[in-house]
Amino acid sequence: GENVEQHPSTLSVQEGDSAVIKCTYSDSASNYFPWYKQELGKRPQLIIDIRSNVGEKKDQRIAVTLNKTAKHFSLHITETQPEDSAVYFCAASIQGAGNMLTFGGGTRLMVKP
Amino acid sequence: GAVVSQHPSWVICKSGTSVKIECRSLDFQATTMFWYRQFPKQSLMLMATSNEGSKATYEQGVEKDKFLINHASLTLSTLTVTSAHPEDSSFYICSARAPPSGRNGFYNEQFFGPGTRLTVL
């Protein structure tokens, strides 16, 4: 089955700096890659996703890039703010084949004011 | 739109009792729901896939007789933790998958419930 690795497990940045979180996946059939933000004790919230037919997607301060050949994708957050502090999870799935999400291990992002 | 609720949000029970958790899609029909378990500071681990009108598909290592799943309608799936023990204490989260037809405007996206924190004494 699919295996998703996520790095780093913790990331501390200064407010205003950029943060990058990287994930690799094992199943070349995976074609949908969402990123979730989870605050303590709350539900994961989808922040951005990318499908395998594009290499990059941007939404204001967040962007995701996908390299299908290398089977890795990354989340980029620019101009970080303290409210960006949370745990971020990447995931991979095969659309149209059950849509099960396989999650990475998570990255705890801390933005210091 | 695309709201998923869970009930209860928090439960404490004695060892040996059974606990039922409900997951509801409030404004869309979900033929497929997923149940996850999350330990503190860890990732979400898929326990099972719940399909309306059929048996759930359990992930390897998840005891189907211990974690009973019933998806009786297009808006409700339940997870019953039977004969709960302290090691079953965890955060249980469900998600519901939007219909692939996209009639609600959400193609195959999963929407998560708020989670249920189970503590077994």
Side-chain angles (χ1 to χ4, degrees):
Chain A
E2 175 69 280
N3 182 46
V4 179
E5 301 278 345
Q6 184 171 346
H7 298 280
S9 56
T10 60
L11 179 59
S12 182
V13 300
Q14 205 67 37
E15 181 178 2
D17 289 348
S18 295
V20 180
I21 303 170
K22 298 181 179 181
C23 288
T24 60
Y25 60 99
S26 61
D27 191 342
S28 57
S30 290
N31 55 14
Y32 175 63
F33 308 93
W35 285 88
Y36 291 87
K37 175 183 180 182
Q38 187 181 31
E39 297 178 3
L40 187 62
K42 297 190 176 180
R43 77 185 82 195
Q45 297 273 16
L46 179 71
I47 56 172
I48 196 168
D49 58 14
I50 190 167
R51 301 182 194 280
S52 60
N53 57 346
V54 298
E56 184 174 357
K57 184 176 178 181
K58 190 173 182 180
D59 183 4
Q60 298 183 340
R61 294 188 298 109
I62 59 174
V64 58
T65 58
L66 170 65
N67 184 327
K68 287 188 294 182
T69 303
K71 290 189 284 188
H72 66 70
F73 55 112
S74 301
L75 177 71
H76 304 252
I77 305 174
T78 58
E79 301 172 31
T80 54
Q81 301 166 2
E83 50 265 38
D84 294 330
S85 297
V87 179
Y88 291 80
F89 292 99
C90 64
S93 80
I94 303 172
Q95 293 286 285
N99 298 101
M100 293 187 305
L101 288 172
T102 301
F103 284 87
T107 296
R108 183 171 300 277
L109 174 64
M110 293 169 284
V111 181
K112 295 179 287 185
Chain B
V3 178
V4 177
S5 70
Q6 261 182 262
H7 178 81
S9 57
W10 178 61
V11 59
I12 300 175
C13 69
K14 291 182 179 180
S15 186
T17 59
S18 294
V19 176
K20 180 186 281 189
I21 303 170
E22 293 184 348
C23 177
R24 292 181 186 273
S25 56
L26 299 185
D27 52 2
F28 67 101
Q29 293 182 333
T31 55
T32 303
M33 292 184 175
F34 302 90
W35 286 97
Y36 297 86
R37 184 173 182 176
Q38 186 177 34
F39 290 108
K41 297 185 178 181
Q42 293 191 22
S43 188
L44 291 89
M45 299 301 296
L46 179 66
M47 298 175 66
T49 302
S50 171
N51 297 298
E52 188 267 338
S54 64
K55 292 183 178 180
T57 303
Y58 290 82
E59 294 301 298
Q60 192 172 9
V62 178
E63 299 176 59
K64 60 181 180 181
D65 294 330
K66 181 167 183 62
F67 299 99
L68 301 178
I69 291 173
N70 185 12
H71 195 152
S73 77
L74 288 172
T75 59
L76 173 64
S77 176
T78 60
L79 168 68
T80 302
V81 183
T82 62
S83 187
H85 291 283
E87 57 266 30
D88 298 324
S89 299
S90 188
F91 193 50
Y92 292 88
I93 307 178
C94 71
S95 71
R97 190 186 75 177
S101 64
R103 59 178 178 263
N104 292 317
F106 309 109
Y107 176 71
N108 278 335
E109 185 176 338
Q110 283 190 33
F111 298 92
F112 285 85
T116 297
R117 186 161 301 283
L118 171 64
T119 301
V120 184
L121 302 176

